[in-house]
Amino acid sequence: MEVLKRKIIEEGIVLNDQVLKVDNFLNHQIDAALMLAIGQTFAKLFAEDGITKVLTIESSGIAPGVMTAMQLGVPLLFARKRKSLTLQEDLYTEKVYSFTKMEESEVTVSRKFLSPTDRILIIDDFLANGEAALGMARIVKQAGADAAGIGIVIEKSFQPGREKLLEQGYRVESLARIASLTDNQVTFVPDGAGTTRFLPLRKS
Ligand code: G4P
């Protein structure tokens, strides 16, 4: 998605060769127009898949998730990382380990919002090791529902998440695929016949 790649080039900050900071438009401040364009793109990619619900995880998945849900005309459901005061029982629960943060969290979704007839589109902001997406996919399985695919805003293709999801048979659609973050530069995985581009980013 060219507009997203341009945004990453113009406003992303390479923190180190593993981490890209995008709190200008995705992880803290949110570019609503960009989120709408992201939602339109995901909705187009999954238009023929009979999606009944979009599932994401709080907090940064909610903005792209809600725009996608709006475009598809279905609800957005987000997995919680912290126990809610009012959400006590009848939960699907999965443990998700973050290699980036080196911590485990328990993610939960109320059983009343997922049913075996659902066809779920999973959306997340980043794909690194794939643990969050796999955790959400396990929740979909627990509910007996179908995961039609996984939509990722920014994929770090040099980390193993994509392979792990593909190995388990999931369709993965990433709007920007980063091949590397070395030397303060982002290199995108070429789409289709495109060529690899080396693009300068601002210094952190
Ligand atoms: P994984 O789910 O693919 O295995 O990812 P991982 O555990 O490595 O990532 C944990 C958290 O760190 C996630 O956010 C993820 O979005 C974020 N993250 C991973 N790599 C990057 C990166 O290069 N840049 C940025 N900005 N974030 C990254 P989270 O803890 O769920 O936070 P939030 O959704 O509340 O913002």
Side-chain angles (χ1 to χ4, degrees):
M1 187 182 171
E2 284 311 312
V3 65
L4 172 63
K5 289 185 190 171
R6 214 175 318 125
K7 193 79 170 175
I8 292 170
I9 296 159
E10 286 166 4
E11 298 186 24
I13 296 170
V14 176
L15 282 189
N16 54 52
D17 61 4
Q18 298 290 309
V19 179
L20 174 72
K21 184 169 168 160
V22 286
D23 64 351
N24 246 26
F25 61 92
L26 182 58
N27 290 137
H28 196 20
Q29 175 171 264
I30 289 171
D31 182 330
L34 178 64
M35 292 307 126
L36 177 59
I38 285 169
Q40 288 166 336
T41 305
F42 281 135
K44 221 179 254 175
L45 285 166
F46 290 95
E48 308 302 324
D49 291 276
I51 305 298
T52 60
K53 204 165 276 198
V54 174
L55 174 65
T56 189
I57 187 163
E58 65 175 349
S59 55
S60 299
I62 294 177
V66 77
M67 292 300 189
T68 306
M70 188 175 76
Q71 294 301 312
L72 287 168
V74 300
L76 171 74
L77 177 62
F78 66 89
R80 290 182 180 270
K81 288 183 193 149
R82 260 166 261 103
K83 287 255 158 63
S84 140
L85 182 67
T86 56
L87 200 72
Q88 302 283 6
E89 296 153 13
D90 293 332
L91 301 174
Y92 293 116
T93 300
E94 282 290 337
K95 286 190 169 41
V96 171
Y97 182 74
S98 167
F99 291 99
T100 306
K101 295 188 169 173
M102 290 193 294
E103 65 184 25
E104 188 175 73
S105 55
E106 200 162 75
V107 301
T108 56
V109 170
S110 171
R111 286 175 185 261
K112 75 176 170 192
F113 295 125
L114 284 176
S115 81
T117 55
D118 274 322
R119 263 182 83 68
I120 304 294
L121 170 57
I122 294 170
I123 296 284
D124 210 356
D125 58 334
F126 266 92
L127 177 60
N129 293 288
E131 294 300 312
L134 285 170
M136 285 189 275
R138 288 194 298 272
I139 284 178
V140 171
K141 254 195 191 147
Q142 276 195 55
D146 244 13
I150 298 170
I152 298 293
V153 180
I154 302 176
E155 172 189 307
K156 293 190 292 182
S157 308
F158 55 89
Q159 293 185 288
R162 183 185 186 85
E163 280 71 41
K164 278 157 69 176
L165 298 177
L166 293 178
E167 261 166 32
Q168 298 211 12
Y170 292 107
R171 172 182 169 197
V172 181
E173 298 284 356
S174 302
L175 303 188
R177 299 184 62 201
I178 294 177
S180 78
L181 290 171
T182 46
D183 301 328
N184 224 32
Q185 285 186 325
V186 66
T187 309
F188 290 109
V189 174
D191 15 75
T195 50
T196 306
R197 293 185 295 163
F198 295 90
L199 300 157
L201 280 179
R202 286 208 310 270
K203 283 221 181 322
S204 52

